[in-house]
Amino acid sequence: MGELIGLYHLDRDLESLVKFVDSKFGVPESIMLELPTNWRKHQGRLTNEKYFHRLAEEYESRGTRIIAGDKNRHIVEPPLSEWLLDLEEKLRNGEWNPNTLTEWSKEFFGVVGEILRYKFLLNWNMLSPSKDRIRNQGFLEAFNEENPEVIVVGDSHARYLKSERPDVHYTYFMTDSPLNHFLHARDNIFWRRVAYDSLQVSPSSRS
């Protein structure tokens, strides 16, 4: 039976999570992450949340099988403009060479605007209870089909998986920082309906 780890995926805590997983499991045979099924195609995308991509790269380099658990991510994913996709392609190929400062500024601020638009629409979509249910069902399908040794997902998804699979051991992971203690207390007061089996408080990577 896999180990379920729920957390707030803050980039500053990634190193602490890796140390915890290493200390408890060594190198897992398989790990399910909050990644869409086409995550490899989207590596390096400007709009990517880097946390789970970096986690996948870390463990894949050690021979761990990466399982993309966010099978229904498309339900909340806003479309990207063709302009941004073309610019990303130029950046990857080293072909972005603006000739003037004006051209550079126009495209730079255009990218910032596109990313802000994307983030706003993504967060808006994630507020939809119906879309959240569909996403969670995708996590459950991946979990049941792949039987991963370790599962690392955002805590709201971890709570859902625990509610559907009460037999799995569920650890809430956080670092010993004021922000994480606040988030943990807030969730316990307002939203937590499913209890975790273990609480792991690791030293902060930035302590």
Side-chain angles (χ1 to χ4, degrees):
M1 180 57 61
E3 172 77 14
L4 173 63
I5 301 172
L7 42 66
Y8 276 92
H9 29 101
L10 306 173
D11 288 342
R12 60 184 295 167
D13 295 338
L14 183 60
E15 182 182 340
S16 297
L17 173 70
V18 170
K19 288 179 179 177
F20 168 64
V21 172
D22 288 354
S23 67
K24 189 166 184 180
F25 304 100
V27 179
E29 185 277 326
S30 60
I31 187 168
M32 185 177 111
L33 302 174
E34 190 175 322
L35 289 170
T37 53
N38 59 352
W39 69 275
R40 294 179 191 282
K41 179 181 176 182
H42 291 171
Q43 278 181 303
R45 179 153 286 175
L46 295 172
T47 53
N48 275 351
E49 183 179 5
K50 303 297 188 291
Y51 187 94
F52 290 107
H53 283 266
R54 289 170 59 196
L55 200 54
E57 291 169 2
E58 172 70 28
Y59 282 101
E60 190 167 54
S61 70
R62 305 190 201 178
T64 298
R65 181 169 65 95
I66 306 301
I67 299 166
D70 201 353
K71 296 178 66 174
N72 294 334
R73 169 80 179 192
H74 62 274
I75 200 72
V76 297
E77 194 81 24
L80 297 175
S81 69
E82 288 299 323
W83 176 84
L84 183 62
L85 293 174
D86 289 343
L87 183 60
E88 282 188 335
E89 186 69 21
K90 291 177 182 177
L91 287 169
R92 279 193 295 270
N93 297 332
E95 298 171 353
W96 185 59
N97 297 300
N99 295 317
T100 66
L101 180 60
T102 300
E103 184 181 347
W104 182 93
S105 299
K106 180 181 178 181
E107 296 201 336
F108 173 79
F109 287 110
V111 168
V112 171
E114 283 289 318
I115 292 174
L116 290 175
R117 180 194 68 84
Y118 169 87
K119 295 291 186 182
F120 173 81
L121 293 175
L122 177 66
N123 290 331
W124 179 262
N125 288 338
M126 286 182 172
L127 292 174
S128 166
S130 60
K131 291 179 179 179
D132 190 52
R133 281 194 298 272
I134 293 171
R135 275 189 82 199
N136 280 331
Q137 288 165 5
F139 283 108
L140 182 62
E141 287 175 11
F143 178 62
N144 289 334
E145 291 168 1
E146 300 289 346
N147 191 30
E149 182 180 350
V150 180
I151 307 99
V152 181
V153 292
D155 192 55
S156 65
H157 306 303
R159 294 196 300 266
Y160 174 82
L161 290 173
K162 178 66 176 180
S163 70
E164 295 296 314
R165 291 289 303 270
D167 52 323
V168 70
H169 187 271
Y170 164 32
T171 296
Y172 181 89
F173 175 88
M174 59 183 282
T175 60
D176 189 12
S177 69
L179 175 59
N180 277 287
H181 283 290
F182 166 76
L183 294 171
H184 179 242
R186 183 198 62 179
D187 287 1
N188 286 346
I189 293 170
F190 294 107
W191 294 309
R192 186 170 299 283
R193 300 292 180 268
V194 178
Y196 45 72
D197 300 299
S198 303
L199 173 63
Q200 172 64 32
V201 183
S202 290
S204 174
S205 300
R206 296 190 178 181
S207 59

